[in-house]
Amino acid sequence: RDSHAITLLTPRQVSAIRLAELGADETHLIGKIDRKTLQQFWNDVMTRQPGADISRNAEQKFLATDNFTEQVMRIKASGQAKYIDKIQLRGDPADMVAFRRVVHPFVLQNCATARCHAGNNGGDLRLIRPAGVAVSDQILYTNFYLLTTYEKKAANGATEKMIDRDYPRKSLLLQYGLPKNVSANPHPGAVQVRRLVSENSDLFKSTAAWIKGLAFPQPDYGIAPPENAAAPATSTSHGP
């Protein structure tokens, strides 16, 4: 048994991260909000907006099943947790599509390996490596959560972040991926990732741009850190 196995985020926690990372220009969200919640939101919030159109037609347009994206955006903008918590997002927002397609594969190839952060040699950062080629939403978002909340103290007392939304190019995810002789903050120990040739490489620049595009400041997802479980999750494998 692996005493360091990680408990995966729940589907509701995955939805919470998706919601927090939504960009203002999202156009096609996928998910569900129950009709009762929508009706209550219309009655309690939408009809009380200054100059709101509270006609029957406006109400039916808002409640329509094909109006999910606007419903989500309106509820999120309200800031009212009792409605926000009812949103079930099942699709990735734009920034998380990029994480799924570009950043996470890089992490799996270079960080989440049995000899590194998916095994016992990764120090205080532990990631999950899927058993097969397919990556479940829960594994993807658990790894994202672990990366985006990971930070450590440097020798000078400064806080260094794996994903630094204030200074994307300083992110440990990027600096640790550079050869030690060109990195401003080399990966500790003898590990040589060497997957990013320089800060001018396309992958470095695209990943830095992805970090810059994440929600800012970093949201509070309302999620406690995934706990180490007594036994590994059934979907977790620490293969090479």
Side-chain angles (χ1 to χ4, degrees):
R1 287 192 172 191
D2 183 353
S3 61
H4 297 90
I6 299 167
T7 302
L8 296 176
L9 296 181
T10 66
R12 181 170 289 278
Q13 290 170 329
V14 169
S15 179
I17 292 178
R18 283 173 167 153
L19 185 61
E21 294 293 343
L22 285 180
D25 56 352
E26 303 285 346
T27 58
H28 186 63
L29 300 177
I30 301 172
K32 179 182 179 181
I33 307 170
D34 68 82
R35 178 81 177 193
K36 181 179 179 181
T37 296
L38 287 173
Q39 188 67 64
Q40 290 177 337
F41 183 78
W42 172 264
N43 295 338
D44 297 343
V45 180
M46 294 292 290
T47 60
R48 299 182 184 182
Q49 299 297 314
D53 179 356
I54 60 174
S55 67
R56 181 63 175 169
N57 285 341
E59 178 181 5
Q60 290 304 308
K61 182 179 179 181
F62 176 76
L63 297 176
T65 55
D66 62 357
N67 195 38
F68 180 72
T69 298
E70 182 182 354
Q71 293 163 356
V72 170
M73 292 305 196
R74 292 278 192 173
I75 292 175
K76 182 182 180 184
S78 77
Q80 298 197 29
K82 67 178 181 178
Y83 296 113
I84 293 173
D85 290 345
K86 297 291 187 179
I87 299 173
Q88 300 175 45
L89 280 181
R90 299 196 183 106
D92 297 330
D95 286 333
M96 294 308 296
V97 170
F99 180 73
R100 185 185 294 274
R101 293 178 178 174
V102 179
V103 182
H104 194 246
F106 170 81
V107 170
L108 291 181
Q109 292 168 10
N110 300 285
C111 310
T113 66
R115 292 178 300 230
C116 199
H117 295 288
N120 296 319
N121 300 318
D124 58 353
L125 174 62
R126 190 67 180 269
L127 300 169
I128 302 173
R129 188 170 186 84
V133 176
V135 179
S136 72
D137 288 349
Q138 288 176 266
I139 289 178
L140 183 87
Y141 279 84
T142 300
N143 279 343
F144 172 78
Y145 179 85
L146 292 168
L147 290 168
T148 200
T149 57
Y150 178 85
E151 57 185 43
K152 69 183 188 70
K153 289 292 184 181
N156 62 3
T159 298
E160 299 176 335
K161 299 179 180 181
M162 187 61 63
I163 295 178
D164 192 331
R165 303 185 195 216
D166 292 284
Y167 305 101
R169 297 174 76 90
K170 292 184 179 181
S171 298
L172 297 180
L173 180 65
L174 290 171
Q175 292 300 322
Y176 282 2
L178 291 168
K180 291 181 183 293
N181 64 325
V182 301
S183 175
N185 193 352
H187 194 295
V191 175
Q192 289 276 14
V193 179
R194 293 185 179 276
R195 293 292 183 175
L196 299 172
V197 178
S198 73
E199 291 196 10
N200 291 320
S201 67
D202 289 342
L203 183 55
F204 186 101
K205 290 189 288 187
S206 64
T207 304
W210 168 74
I211 295 171
K212 186 177 181 179
L214 291 171
F216 186 87
Q218 181 168 315
D220 178 0
Y221 304 119
I223 299 173
E227 298 178 357
N228 287 343
T234 56
S235 57
T236 304
S237 172
H238 297 149

